[in-house]
Amino acid sequence: MTEPAAMHDDGVVVVTHPLVQHKLTLMRERETPTGVFRHLARELSLLLGYEAMRDLPLETVEIDTPLEHMQARRLAGKKLCLISILRAGNGILDGLLDLVPSARVGYVGMYRDPETLEPVEYYLKLPEELDNRVSLVVDPMLATGHSAVAAIDRLKQAGCSNMVFVCLLAAPEGVARLRAAHPDVRIVTCAIDRGLDDHGYIRPGLGDAGDRLFGTR
């Protein structure tokens, strides 16, 4: 019996589609080069995006096809907003923009203090009318959850009220922290790994997503 393409559990969606799991395995491999890693991240973001946008509102409109007049469905309300947690979030952002080119885009600049593992904000640029938009907040890794919680705290202060957090990989610690702080924010990911090491990295993971996306160390 074929398993479902996504597993839903208490506000967390793990996308188990075979293509998603295959591409994630390629990303995990140490020898996967930067260009291939970046391309895979873009492809995975498209596949995650379909699940993350499953509940977007629709409206019925009248259109003319080449053959006849009909009633058809299209997205309703304000344009979707994609919010990247810099810098690594841009590796997912590009693929989602391929899927929804008309989406508005925002950025939250966060870096993790290497000593405390706490997030430090250094940049914020957001679209208008966030209270009337569905927003996908994107970051490849949900590790400790500190950056995700801090970013969503900041977005709620700015008026954002309807969010989905999209990541390639998550750790149980990060999922628990984000769900405890923001139970209204659904999480969509490819996998939940074993846990964190002493440096806050996801194990077995795929390494530092930002470094692998941009070829840095």
Side-chain angles (χ1 to χ4, degrees):
M1 182 177 178
T2 302
E3 67 178 14
M7 306 294 289
H8 299 249
D9 182 25
D10 191 28
V12 181
V13 180
V14 179
V15 181
T16 57
H17 190 285
L19 277 177
V20 169
Q21 296 305 310
H22 172 74
K23 292 176 187 296
L24 177 61
T25 296
L26 296 177
M27 293 187 74
R28 289 184 188 274
E29 291 183 354
R30 181 195 298 270
E31 301 304 320
T32 298
T34 298
V36 175
F37 187 93
R38 189 181 299 137
H39 184 71
L40 287 166
R42 194 177 191 125
E43 289 183 330
L44 274 178
S45 67
L46 284 166
L47 297 169
L48 287 172
Y50 284 111
E51 184 61 42
M53 300 178 201
R54 177 181 295 277
D55 297 325
L56 290 180
L58 293 170
E59 63 183 359
T60 301
V61 297
E62 294 190 357
I63 65 169
D64 289 311
T65 78
L67 298 178
E68 65 182 55
H69 190 74
M70 71 168 290
Q71 290 190 330
R73 304 174 81 192
R74 70 178 182 191
L75 292 176
K78 290 286 184 181
K79 298 293 185 183
L80 180 75
C81 182
L82 305 174
I83 301 175
S84 171
I85 300 179
L86 297 174
R87 66 178 170 153
N90 285 2
I92 300 179
L93 174 66
D94 291 341
L96 290 174
L97 280 171
D98 288 343
L99 191 61
V100 191
S102 62
R104 302 300 185 253
V105 178
Y107 298 94
V108 181
M110 294 271 181
Y111 69 87
R112 186 172 64 172
D113 186 289
E115 299 298 326
T116 66
L117 303 184
E118 293 293 331
V120 179
E121 180 185 320
Y122 65 89
Y123 184 76
L124 184 72
K125 186 71 172 180
L126 301 172
E128 297 178 346
E129 299 185 81
L130 282 175
D131 56 327
N132 292 321
R133 302 183 191 275
V134 176
S135 296
L136 269 56
V137 183
V138 300
D139 195 355
M141 313 296 276
L142 178 58
T144 65
H146 293 312
S147 294
V149 169
I152 291 171
D153 284 343
R154 191 71 177 85
L155 292 171
K156 285 187 174 180
Q157 291 172 10
C160 196
S161 59
N162 188 353
M163 286 178 274
V164 180
F165 186 85
V166 181
C167 59
L168 299 177
L169 271 185
E173 296 92 331
V175 170
R177 181 167 284 112
L178 181 51
R179 293 295 298 154
H182 298 290
D184 57 317
V185 176
R186 187 161 51 102
I187 299 169
V188 178
T189 186
C190 299
I192 300 175
D193 275 8
R194 184 176 69 248
L196 301 176
D197 64 15
D198 292 339
H199 302 287
Y201 284 98
I202 298 175
R203 297 287 182 155
L206 50 74
D208 186 298
D211 285 343
R212 297 196 67 189
L213 281 163
F214 303 115
T216 56
R217 291 185 181 274

